[in-house]
RNA sequence: GCCUGGGUGGUGAAAUUGGUAGACACACAGGACUUAAAAUCCUGUGGGAUUUAACUCCCGUGCCGGUUCGAUUCCGGCUCCAGGCACCA
């Protein structure tokens, strides 16, 4: 019999199998792809890693997911592009460099080499010929080029913007380097400093990005987050004139109906009007405000403070004099940097007015005329106007008794007619500041010429190479002191010029790498191969990228679609997609002891130990089994043993089967389902219902944990299945093969080896995925749940599609059901082939 | 503070469209095999009640309330945790 233990069988040894199978893939070039118009393309992509040193569990999780999807799709006849690369510019390399005195370039390339080896050990099915690293000039040359194209299209501009300034180290700090308002190295209190920086006009695309969001097959929460981030609001821009100054303050409000309740104006400390302020304590206030961090979370949780500027604005319609305050909660970067404050109808303004004893004037009353006490609490709902009447200048027009819509329209019209305002759509989204005062990034290809001013570098001179030798980072970015880097000549007038020493935000690199994979070796930014592969069909990455990276990439894709067909010859006849990622799977965070496994903080678990001990298949299996991809997961090693045990158990089951049966006579086409006995029908039902579930989970749900659970159940069922004749053996063989192939996207090495041992070619990359025998899914008898008043009281076995009346009487005959049906049932609810609920 | 998720046994989780709560594992306990250990296999395992036992019953999906014949699932309120908040990537 088959299931006796036989110690002559080869043991499961991943350390022998895995390198052997990986070698085979390499020899066969199994995962290299080219454009093949006869096959349906499928572009499956993981967010590329930052080469922090070694793989962590978050990487393993992310890359196993796309690997499983890629492998599944290849087995379904798709031409699958599955590339990988390195997001290799960024802050951690500079920090590491300061610690260990190795140049960032060397540190980065060492890390890439090590991590590449790890990825290969994991058996991920990448097309390695497309590998790219963003820190190489082959890559960043093209983003310098594209930046110049965007400059030509007026998508680039320069303006002053605020950064964190460490007054001791005399460097700009990233938000992450500011800890409780102090520089992480110097411990000095961080200041705000305004410096000129380059911006991309992402707001030009705000409307399109917003509107296209609904076309994406992305998680609803990500779409909602992006919509809220873009934050479209329709409202009114209103002009207040400053008394005794020829100065107009613009404010934006979504509640023009509350205009007559505006009792003061609040402006940001960086607002240009501040220089006219004439109160003594203002400088102290500004100095204090300068010492708060620049991130929104810090500003929003700050105690709301302000100071009177000594200036007054004239209310545009009432003509009243209202004070102008400088406030720490108004952001210069957001909107116009000034707001009209209506304490009666806005909570923040209300609190501020109470604190500084400013007037609170009610101009809205509830629709139902209920009593409200405006002195204790703001009334923020829309209602009916009161106390809203213009001055003589505008003929004492009253807006009282109007509702929100009527009042807004009437007030807007009056403002527009008198050039005091405009109806406007505002976005919360701000233009993208791409300048970084750092070394390890792509140089911004701009020069400052004494004669010609600030202009782009000549495209012929690209790339502007980042120097990588003799780098010392102790005093901030070395580019700022390297004459050989920044001294240059203007390519137009040949006079002396100074090169821009800032580098790009690293989100710049990650906003188009997905397109470069298609044209990995092109001598232009992109070529017509992108029109075959793009857009990415399935993108997978961490939920922490739900907004920034994914939004910037959408902007870039739209900008590329607008620019490249007019600038690159091979793209002239092409229409590029306007969205980069058709479907998105956001992977949950991998936590360690409840802490985010940050790429830059180094508190990572090294999966290498697990690979060394159990092999890649076990690590892949466990990572997928531990949880569905979307939820965050606190990593723990418990359970890896279980995954390993399962593989060993399945290996034994399969190898026993291989050894004990003659493969030649073993043919599942000998199975005629209708002629099987009930034991055989049952196990075939289990085999094929499992397969159906597996296919659905791979295809639609991406819940690999339930794929594995179902296959474990099937393995347990086969283990219990007693073989007594040839037909049993055929069915058993069918089950084993289905498990091997169903597992193969997740555990490709063991599957390949077992497949080979069953007499087949071990390269299963393009084997057809098994097909469900729908006949095997049919059953004669079903278990029906019987409830009384919604509580489970019995399970009854009945024939399929039993008539309702018969089902009712069968249910009511059940002894346990009888105990609870003490009176005539009021109602009996039947869910066909599933449930009976008797209501008494 | 704002935006977006989430909370189910000792642990990771399952329950896919409102219909059996806890599949599949981990851990633990007991047993088999072994001189012993490892490995492997078998049994049990949410809490409680009852019973020789089988069965059966009550409670239970963060908290409070609602809708429904029926709620882990839908709605309202709260609470705690996580992600993001524009210079970490």
């Amino acid at each position: 019999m088959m299931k006796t233990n036989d110690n002559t069988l080869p043991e499961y040894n991943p350390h022998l199998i895995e390198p052997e199978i990986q070698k085979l893939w390499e020899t066969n070039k199994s995962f290299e792809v080219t454009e093949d118009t006869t096959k349906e393309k499928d572009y499956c992509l993981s967010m590329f890693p930052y080469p922090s040193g070694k793989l962590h569990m978050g990487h393993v999780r992310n890359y196993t997911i796309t690997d499983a999807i890629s492998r599944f799709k290849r087995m379904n006849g798709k031409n699958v592009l599955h590339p990988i690369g390195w997001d290799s510019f960024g802050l951690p390399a500079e920090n590491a460099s300061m610690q260990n005195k190795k140049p960032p370039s060397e540190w980065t390339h060492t890390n890439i080499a090590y991590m590449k080896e790890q990825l290969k050990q994991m058996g991920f099915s990448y097309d390695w010929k497309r590998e790219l690293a963003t820190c190489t000039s082959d890559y960043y040359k093209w983003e310098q080029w594209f930046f110049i194209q965007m400059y030509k299209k007026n998508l680039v501009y320069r303006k002053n913007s605020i950064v964190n300034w460490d007054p001791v180290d005399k460097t700009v700090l990233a938000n992450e380097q500011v800890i409780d308002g102090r520089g992480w190295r110097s411990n000095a209190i961080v200041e705000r400093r305004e410096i000129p920086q380059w911006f991309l006009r992402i707001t030009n695309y705000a409307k399109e990005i917003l509107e296209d969001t609904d076309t994406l097959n992305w998680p609803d929460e990500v779409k909602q987050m992006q919509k809220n981030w873009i934050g479209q609001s329709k409202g009114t821009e209103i002009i207040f004139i400053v008394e005794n100054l020829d100065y107009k303050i613009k404010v934006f409000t979504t509640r023009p109906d509350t205009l007559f309740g505006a009792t003061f104006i609040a402006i940001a400390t960086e607002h240009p009007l501040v220089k006219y302020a004439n109160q003594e304590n203002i400088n102290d206030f500004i100095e204090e405000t300068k010492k708060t961090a620049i991130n929104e979370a810090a500003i929003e949780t700050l105690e709301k403070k302000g100071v009177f500027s000594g200036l007054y604005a004239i209310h545009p319609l009432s003509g009243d004099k209202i004070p102008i305050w400088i406030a720490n909660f108004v952001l210069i970067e957001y909107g116009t940097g000034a707001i009209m404050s209506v304490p009666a109808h806005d909570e923040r303004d209300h609190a501020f007015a109470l604190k500084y004893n400013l007037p609170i004037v009610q101009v809205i009353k509830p629709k139902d005329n209920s009593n409200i006490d405006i002195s204790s609490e703001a009334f923020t709902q829309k209602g009916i106007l009161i106390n809203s009447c213009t001055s003589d200048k505008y003929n004492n027009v009253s807006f009282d008794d109007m509702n929100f819509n009527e009042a807004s329209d009437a007030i807007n019209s009056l403002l527009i007619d008198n050039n005091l305002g405009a109806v406007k759509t505002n976005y919360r989204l701000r233009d993208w500041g791409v300048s970084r005062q750092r070394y390890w990034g792509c140089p911004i290809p701009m020069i400052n010429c004494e004669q010609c001013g600030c202009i782009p570098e000549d495209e012929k001179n690209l790339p502007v190479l980042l120097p990588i030798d003799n780098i010392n980072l102790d005093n901030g970015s070395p580019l700022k002191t390297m004459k050989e880097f920044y001294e240059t000549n203007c390519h137009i007038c040949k006079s002396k010029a100074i090169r821009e020493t800032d580098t790009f935000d690293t989100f710049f690199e990650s906003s188009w790498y997905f397109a470069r994979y298609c044209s990995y070796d092109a001598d232009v930014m992109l070529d017509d191969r992108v029109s075959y592969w793009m857009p990415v069909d399935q993108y997978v990455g961490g939920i922490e990228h739900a907004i920034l990276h994914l939004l910037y990439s959408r902007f870039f894709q739209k900008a590329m679609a607008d620019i490249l067909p007019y600038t690159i010859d091979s793209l002239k006849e092409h229409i590029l997609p306007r969205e980069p990622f058709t479907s998105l799977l956001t992977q949950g965070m991998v936590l360690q002891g409840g802490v985010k496994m940050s790429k830059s903080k180094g508190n990572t678990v090294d999966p290498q130990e697990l690979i060394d001990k159990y092999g890649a298949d076990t690590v892949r299996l466990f990572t997928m089994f531990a949880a569905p991809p979307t939820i965050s997961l606190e990593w723990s090693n418990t359970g890896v043993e279980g995954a390993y045990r399962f593989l060993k158990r399945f290996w034994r089951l399969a190898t026993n089967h291989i050894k004990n049966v003659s493969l030649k006579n073993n043919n599942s086409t000998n199975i005629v389902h209708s002629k099987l006995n009930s034991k055989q029908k049952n196990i075939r039902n289990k085999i094929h219902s499992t397969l159906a579930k597996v296919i659905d989970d791979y295809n639609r749900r991406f819940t690999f944990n339930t794929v594995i659970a179902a296959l474990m159940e099937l393995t347990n069922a086969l283990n219990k299945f007693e073989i007594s004749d040839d037909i049993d053996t055929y069915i058993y063989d069918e089950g084993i093969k289905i498990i091997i192939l169903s597992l193969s996207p997740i555990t490709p090495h063991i599957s390949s080896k077992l497949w080979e041992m069953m007499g087949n070619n071990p390269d299963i990359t393009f084997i057809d995925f098994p097909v469900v025998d729908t006949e095997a899914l049919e059953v004669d008898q079903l278990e029906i749940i019987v409830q009384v008043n919604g509580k489970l009281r019995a399970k009854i076995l009945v024939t399929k599609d039993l008539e309702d009346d018969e089902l009712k009487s069968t249910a009511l005959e059940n002894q346990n059901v009888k105990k609870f049906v003490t009176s005539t049932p009021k109602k009996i609810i039947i869910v066909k082939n599933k449930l009976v609920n008797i209501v008494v």
Side-chain angles (χ1 to χ4, degrees), chain A residues 409-423:
Chain A
D409 290 347
I411 289 172
N412 285 343
S413 302
L414 189 58
L415 290 170
I416 291 162
D417 291 348
N418 293 285
N419 292 322
L420 292 168
V423 171

Side-chain angles (χ1 to χ4, degrees), chain A residues 247-283:
Chain A
Y247 196 98
K248 294 173 175 173
I249 306 178
K250 283 184 179 172
V251 302
F252 177 82
T253 179
T254 56
R255 291 292 303 271
D257 60 317
T258 65
L259 178 56
F260 289 89
T263 57
F264 63 101
I265 297 287
I267 61 174
T269 53
E270 296 88 357
H271 196 281
L273 186 61
V274 168
K275 63 176 176 281
Y276 300 106
N278 53 25
Q279 300 287 297
E280 279 177 5
N281 52 350
I282 287 173
N283 282 342

Side-chain angles (χ1 to χ4, degrees), chain A residues 403-464:
Chain A
N403 66 22
F404 169 79
N405 285 329
E406 296 161 350
S408 298
D409 290 347
I411 289 172
N412 285 343
S413 302
L414 189 58
L415 290 170
I416 291 162
D417 291 348
N418 293 285
N419 292 322
L420 292 168
V423 171
K424 247 188 115 174
T425 299
N426 229 32
Y427 294 93
R428 205 187 77 96
L429 180 70
R430 308 198 292 258
D431 276 336
W432 175 14
V434 292
S435 296
R436 296 293 180 269
Q437 297 69 43
R438 277 187 253 295
Y439 159 73
W440 190 236
C442 170
I444 298 177
M446 300 296 288
I447 60 171
N448 220 326
C449 166
E450 290 167 353
Q451 305 297 319
C452 310
C454 198
I455 56 168
E457 177 58 277
D458 189 349
E459 287 173 35
K460 288 200 234 28
N461 294 338
L462 298 181
V464 177

Side-chain angles (χ1 to χ4, degrees), chain A residues 722-735:
Chain A
E722 303 234 347
I723 291 175
S724 35
D725 61 23
D726 282 354
I727 301 291
D728 285 350
T729 303
Y730 301 149
I731 295 171
Y732 193 86
D733 187 73
E734 183 189 23

Side-chain angles (χ1 to χ4, degrees), chain A residues 123 205 214 309 663:
Chain A
Y205 287 86
D214 282 326
S309 68
L663 293 167

